[in-house]
Amino acid sequence: LGSRGVKSTDAEGFTRYLRLSAGEVLAQVSHPLYRSTTQKIRSGVGGDSVTLEARLMPNFGYLSATAKDGVEGVVYLGNDRELGALPLKRVKLVAGRHELRFQPRDTERYAPYEQVVTVGIKDEVRVEAPLAPRLGEVVIESKPLGGEVWVAGERWGRTPLKRSVIRGT
């Protein structure tokens, strides 16, 4: 509508054009994160009121995510909206800035991870979340010293032995 008539916008975001000349005008509604829409409206003589309702379609980008070392987990948008389980493939997100939280299924052994991403229109953002292992320490001693230590088929060395391991059993 441009600058034709007198424009006023109320607290709810409704815009009114007063003293618009009678006839057909082209109304365009746009927002940086949405697809613009254009509609013809016809205003009559004598103060007729015409309501234009425009539903803007968001412009989307995509998010794909994996966890380092294949750790299982869930991806959240902010702290509440679940986007899905890892690996996440081409989930549609409105273009813009988003806070992501990667929550491992095994919270005893792995720490959650947070990251802010910016999704562009029609772009795909790929994230590899480094769900870091929570480490503990194992100390093994024996009498006599020099005992050979094997864990789950892997030779760790001889006692006394001190080693960092992922927490858990």
Side-chain angles (χ1 to χ4, degrees):
L1 291 170
S3 60
R4 295 174 65 184
V6 177
K7 178 180 170 182
S8 70
T9 304
D10 66 16
E12 293 178 349
F14 292 104
T15 302
R16 290 176 173 70
Y17 286 88
L18 308 171
R19 295 190 293 277
L20 195 59
S21 53
E24 194 173 86
V25 292
L26 195 58
Q28 180 180 21
V29 181
S30 61
H31 183 280
L33 296 179
Y34 292 81
R35 294 186 193 134
S36 300
T37 185
T38 305
Q39 296 179 20
K40 287 182 184 178
I41 57 173
R42 185 171 255 321
S43 62
V45 180
D48 288 349
S49 180
V50 176
T51 300
L52 170 65
E53 184 174 317
R55 298 226 181 256
L56 300 179
M57 296 298 294
N59 275 323
F60 290 104
Y62 300 93
L63 172 69
S64 293
T66 57
K68 195 170 185 173
D69 300 327
V71 176
E72 292 182 352
V74 178
V75 182
Y76 292 91
L77 187 60
N79 285 323
D80 54 355
R81 182 175 159 217
E82 183 177 321
L83 293 178
L86 290 167
L88 206 59
K89 294 187 180 163
R90 288 185 62 83
V91 171
K92 239 185 217 186
L93 284 182
V94 174
R97 203 174 133 99
H98 299 283
E99 293 180 17
L100 303 175
R101 182 170 52 90
F102 298 85
Q103 183 66 43
R105 291 210 190 275
D106 184 349
T107 56
E108 179 185 344
R109 299 178 72 185
Y110 295 94
Y113 174 73
E114 294 181 358
Q115 181 173 342
V116 175
V117 296
T118 301
V119 177
I121 298 168
K122 297 180 183 174
D123 288 343
E124 180 176 0
V125 174
R126 292 187 175 127
V127 177
E128 183 181 44
L131 296 174
R134 296 181 191 257
L135 298 178
E137 194 170 79
V138 172
V139 176
I140 301 173
E141 297 175 346
S142 69
K143 289 185 183 176
L145 295 177
E148 198 167 4
V149 178
W150 290 77
V151 176
E154 179 187 348
R155 185 177 186 282
W156 278 19
R158 296 193 175 276
T159 62
L161 181 80
K162 186 167 150 179
R163 188 161 179 179
S164 290
V165 294
I166 296 175
R167 286 190 342 193
T169 305

